[in-house]
Amino acid sequence: YEISACLVGSEMCIRDRYQRRVRGDGMEVIEGEAEGQRKDIQLPLVLNPKTPTTKKDFLQWLSANKERVLTQLVQHGAILFRGFPLENAYDFNDVVEAFGCEFETYLGGGGPRKPIVGHVMTSTESPPHFTIPLHHELAYLTKYPSKLFFFCEVPAQEGGETPLCRSDILVERISKENPDFFQKVKEKKLRYHRTLSAKGPGTSNDYQKSWEDIFETEDRTEAEQRAKLTGADTIKWLENGSMDVVSIPLEGLKLDPRNQKTIWFNSAVLLHPAVYGTKMDTGWGTTYGDYSPIEGADLLQVVKIMKEESVAFKWQKGDLLIIDNFVVLHSRNSFTPPRRLLAALVK
């Protein structure tokens, strides 16, 4: 039974190998477990209050322990706060503001979302039967968040988990199991093709918002300028009013300078039609940076590896999940409604 001392802020606490404690003003946090957690790498790291607490004490603890939480976030990739007194969007907004970060907009992002309060929006509201593949948030743009906050206001009756996958582990397996594909992604980079429909009758925005909502304007010239700011290379207007956007070549791999690990930071799986099969026309596409096609079999192999390496815990009402967008990919399983998850994006 090993015991060691650690310093948290200006306060000394005791850490033991069976139960780790972090003290803060008015409350004490301990490490816990969750069904579906990958325990060997603690994905996600689960933190619980040792005793019932108040929202005020939790907000004070977050402010006082921000740097420690950020350090743990880089190590584990995701932290699940469970058992804290958070009830609604206003509580969630108080939490993200107490964390003291600069927040990112969703300009250029295609997922259907609605603003709620402050920095809070709904998580992607694609149809319940639809499974969103594992991805790094907004990796198909040049502007993307560094961290994601999720809050469970209403857990699904069934399904609706948010699977998580460590990006460095994914890189390790892809590079070994499909080295030719890995090398092509590294050398050629990737381009993303999106056909963005216009608002109006006869168009569906179930899986992707209209270009007016994506770029927050109804003016075509302004939309083009905003698309360029988020990484568009070529833009073409179609006869039906849709906006066809092709990105500049973007890196498919990145080096995380904080831990010197290579990560699979791209949206190749998210935006390639082979992943969705022949029954769904998404208007999305991914090619290499030289416009040469990516074999669907290569991406389906990546999907297989993702499924083998991902973990998924069951959401509970009041859960708060913080994800490092460079360390971990996330997704969404299909579900039986109702389900309401809220989100906030951090620069």
Side-chain angles (χ1 to χ4, degrees):
Y1 186 81
E2 299 173 357
I3 299 179
S4 61
C6 65
L7 188 65
V8 180
S10 60
E11 183 174 2
M12 187 68 71
C13 69
I14 298 298
R15 172 182 293 185
D16 62 64
R17 56 182 296 193
Y18 300 108
Q19 177 173 285
R20 297 176 174 85
R21 303 178 177 88
V22 181
R23 295 187 183 278
D25 294 336
M27 65 173 287
E28 188 174 353
V29 173
I30 61 173
E31 289 186 13
E33 296 181 351
E35 183 181 355
Q37 176 194 33
R38 182 169 169 178
K39 295 180 174 58
D40 60 332
I41 56 175
Q42 289 186 294
L43 180 63
L45 174 66
V46 181
L47 298 180
N48 310 125
K50 185 179 180 183
T51 57
T53 187
T54 66
K55 187 179 80 170
K56 179 181 177 181
D57 283 343
F58 183 42
L59 297 181
Q60 289 177 342
W61 184 91
L62 280 176
S63 296
N65 291 277
K66 174 183 174 181
E67 293 307 317
R68 178 182 178 87
V69 170
L70 291 177
T71 298
Q72 290 179 317
L73 197 58
V74 175
Q75 178 184 353
H76 299 281
I79 300 176
L80 174 64
F81 291 88
R82 174 167 285 177
F84 295 88
L86 306 176
E87 296 292 333
N88 51 44
Y90 296 95
D91 291 342
F92 179 42
N93 192 60
D94 288 342
V95 166
V96 296
E97 288 188 345
F99 212 74
C101 294
E102 189 175 357
F103 292 88
E104 185 66 88
T105 69
Y106 198 59
L107 184 70
R113 298 173 182 261
K114 296 185 181 73
I116 301 298
V117 59
H119 305 291
V120 174
M121 64 186 85
T122 59
S123 62
T124 302
E125 295 185 314
S126 301
H129 69 269
F130 182 62
T131 295
I132 302 174
L134 281 157
H135 61 283
H136 288 286
E137 191 68 30
L138 299 183
Y140 53 86
L141 303 177
T142 52
K143 294 184 177 181
Y144 36 77
S146 65
K147 298 168 190 66
L148 316 172
F149 285 69
F150 288 104
F151 172 69
C152 180
E153 193 169 53
V154 180
Q157 293 184 27
E158 185 177 351
E161 300 89 354
T162 300
L164 306 171
C165 178
R166 278 265 298 272
S167 198
D168 60 318
I169 294 176
L170 192 59
V171 161
E172 183 178 359
R173 286 199 55 183
I174 296 171
S175 63
K176 290 179 179 178
E177 297 175 31
N178 196 341
D180 291 342
F181 173 56
F182 183 84
Q183 197 63 26
K184 285 181 182 178
V185 171
K186 182 178 180 179
E187 293 177 357
K188 293 187 174 185
K189 303 183 181 180
L190 300 168
R191 287 184 188 264
Y192 304 107
H193 305 235
R194 294 189 294 161
T195 300
L196 313 178
S197 63
K199 280 185 175 179
T203 60
S204 172
N205 303 122
D206 287 345
Y207 300 95
Q208 179 174 254
K209 295 185 295 186
S210 67
W211 65 261
E212 294 97 329
D213 288 337
I214 287 173
F215 296 113
E216 301 174 9
T217 180
E218 295 185 355
D219 181 86
R220 289 190 175 191
T221 300
E222 184 66 26
E224 289 183 13
Q225 292 174 351
R226 294 180 181 183
K228 292 285 188 180
L229 288 174
T230 54
D233 186 13
T234 63
I235 299 168
K236 182 171 66 174
W237 294 97
L238 307 182
E239 290 185 3
N240 64 2
S242 295
M243 183 183 186
D244 196 67
V245 181
V246 180
S247 76
I248 61 174
L250 294 171
E251 299 282 357
L253 304 169
K254 289 184 181 294
L255 182 68
D256 189 336
R258 301 168 302 174
N259 54 25
Q260 298 302 306
K261 293 180 178 180
T262 301
I263 56 175
W264 185 256
F265 197 85
N266 63 67
S267 297
V269 165
L270 181 68
L271 296 180
H272 197 286
V275 175
Y276 301 100
T278 58
K279 295 182 179 180
M280 182 176 172
D281 182 10
T282 60
W284 304 328
T286 307
T287 65
Y288 291 113
D290 61 1
Y291 293 101
S292 59
I294 298 174
E295 293 293 332
D298 288 329
L299 289 176
L300 292 177
Q301 183 181 14
V302 173
V303 171
K304 178 176 179 293
I305 296 171
M306 285 177 166
K307 289 180 179 179
E308 292 170 355
E309 295 294 343
S310 65
V311 299
F313 64 90
K314 293 285 186 182
W315 283 107
Q316 295 181 10
K317 179 175 173 56
D319 280 351
L320 169 70
L321 179 69
I322 307 178
I323 294 175
D324 189 301
N325 195 35
F326 300 114
V327 180
V328 163
L329 303 92
H330 69 285
S331 65
R332 189 205 73 181
N333 286 342
S334 60
F335 64 93
T336 302
R339 176 188 187 266
R340 183 174 166 90
L341 247 66
L342 305 178
L345 311 181
V346 174
K347 284 188 177 180

